[in-house]
Amino acid sequence: MDEFVARSLDEIRFWSRIMKEHSLFLGLGFRAEDTQLKKEADRFYAIFEDIERRSHEFQPNADPHTIQNFNTEVAIAATNIWAFKRMVLGLILQCKLPGQTNFPLLVDHISREANYFRNRLEELNTGRLEPLPDAIIDENVFFLKIMADHAKFIGHLLDPSERKLVDQAREFSNDFDKLVFQAIDLSSMRPQSQTVPLLSQFVDENKVSVKSLRDFKKTARDLIDECRIKSIIHPLLADHVFREAERFLFILDMFDQALSGAKVNKREILH
């Protein structure tokens, strides 16, 4: 199996589904009169649904050159949805869509994920993958902020009467805000901070917190599916944030393996 092909398809299969769902969530948040924005969100939904479908049609022995072209095509789509999300964010922050229900932080959040996706595909196509110590810090800075945001969204979308769950979400938000700052501090101390003991402790600590948040998201998702809690959280959104936590945990596990002695490069780590 070609590592470049496997890695590219894995990224596209995961993130194209995420982008498709972002399109749906944006569309649900627009007002009835925002027909043009709804149409654009629907268009992106169709684009990424098609990309996701095609990604599953490729076999592991697909021609690397064909996959390189596919990566380029998908990176362009990711760039376009990133631009759409930033445009929507601008409209919201300028109070031009009063009454729409997408949080500005949520729109910024999903644009960061589109940018991450685009950058990953470009890294793969050019072969410019970061050394392990840089990958560990950069992936954690990115994903810890994503997890912190998720905790905030959950807390704000639960019904205020779900006081205990709202408090739990707030605690996760505070925990992950601290982890984000720790990651930024470790990043600013580079390269001196990139010792195996420090990176190993960093990964271990983050794994504990991500596992707890992942379990909380899973419980929330199941309770929402069974209509056992009061919220305005779409069931698909509950599953969406759970899958992203699972993705982060998988990456942390691979970093853990790499730091414990196995020589693993970023391409292998994130496969």
Side-chain angles (χ1 to χ4, degrees):
M1 182 192 294
D2 186 283
E3 187 60 44
F4 166 76
V5 170
R7 174 78 169 73
S8 297
L9 292 176
D10 174 66
E11 291 287 349
I12 293 172
R13 285 166 183 165
F14 180 82
W15 288 107
S16 62
R17 182 180 179 188
I18 296 293
M19 296 298 119
K20 178 182 75 172
E21 291 169 357
H22 287 170
S23 307
L24 173 69
F25 301 145
L26 280 173
L28 290 173
F30 293 137
R31 305 166 302 175
E33 62 265 36
D34 299 326
T35 51
Q36 199 53 47
L37 290 174
K38 282 177 177 284
K39 192 180 292 183
E40 190 71 349
D42 289 345
R43 188 176 72 84
F44 278 116
Y45 185 96
I47 287 170
F48 282 100
E49 185 171 55
D50 181 60
I51 287 170
E52 184 188 15
R53 177 188 58 77
R54 287 160 59 204
S55 73
H56 286 283
E57 290 175 355
F58 285 108
Q59 300 302 314
N61 61 352
D63 174 41
H65 185 67
T66 303
I67 299 301
Q68 192 168 26
N69 290 339
F70 188 41
N71 284 353
T72 300
E73 177 195 340
V74 177
I76 291 168
T79 301
N80 290 339
I81 198 171
W82 171 84
F84 175 63
K85 290 166 176 174
R86 298 308 290 184
M87 183 268 289
V88 169
L89 178 61
L91 292 173
I92 296 169
L93 293 178
Q94 293 160 37
C95 301
K96 291 181 177 174
L97 298 175
Q100 68 83 44
T101 57
N102 293 303
F103 292 126
L105 183 63
L106 179 121
V107 183
D108 174 61
H109 173 102
I110 64 177
S111 77
R112 275 181 266 129
E113 292 186 346
N115 191 50
Y116 172 94
F117 185 23
R118 169 182 62 181
N119 288 342
R120 185 63 68 251
L121 293 173
E122 288 175 357
E123 277 186 349
L124 282 163
N125 267 9
T126 58
R128 291 199 305 267
L129 296 165
E130 289 184 309
L132 177 66
D134 287 322
I136 289 173
I137 291 178
D138 292 338
E139 290 289 319
N140 276 278
V141 169
F142 172 78
F143 271 105
L144 289 169
K145 176 78 168 86
I146 294 298
M147 297 298 117
D149 291 349
H150 285 171
K152 292 171 178 63
F153 300 147
I154 293 167
H156 283 76
L157 293 171
L158 286 163
D159 189 80
S161 70
E162 295 284 1
R163 288 171 173 80
K164 287 195 75 171
L165 286 173
V166 171
D167 280 350
Q168 274 185 276
R170 192 176 295 124
E171 284 171 18
F172 277 116
S173 170
N174 292 336
D175 184 26
F176 276 88
D177 281 349
K178 291 188 184 81
L179 293 176
V180 168
F181 279 115
Q182 283 185 197
I184 291 169
D185 289 341
L186 199 66
S187 177
S188 71
M189 294 179 192
R190 281 191 270 195
Q192 288 80 2
S193 62
Q194 290 170 312
T195 67
V196 171
L198 285 177
L199 292 175
S200 181
Q201 170 61 19
F202 176 62
V203 168
D204 287 348
E205 185 177 6
N206 293 343
K207 267 175 74 172
V208 171
S209 292
V210 178
K211 277 179 181 166
S212 296
L213 180 60
R214 187 269 316 270
D215 293 345
F216 174 71
K217 287 174 173 178
K218 184 177 186 300
T219 301
R221 181 195 68 182
D222 294 346
L223 291 172
I224 288 164
D225 279 343
E226 295 162 14
C227 199
R228 291 174 62 192
I229 56 171
K230 302 177 292 297
S231 81
I232 56 170
I233 300 173
H234 193 292
L236 185 61
L237 179 59
D239 186 60
H240 179 99
V241 298
F242 168 74
R243 274 181 272 123
E244 289 188 1
E246 286 272 84
R247 180 83 175 178
F248 186 21
L249 264 183
F250 180 73
I251 290 168
L252 288 172
D253 282 339
M254 296 302 289
F255 284 150
D256 216 8
Q257 287 179 35
L259 288 167
S260 65
K263 289 187 177 177
V264 183
N265 64 31
K266 188 176 179 186
R267 184 177 284 143
E268 291 164 336
I269 285 166
L270 295 177
H271 165 48

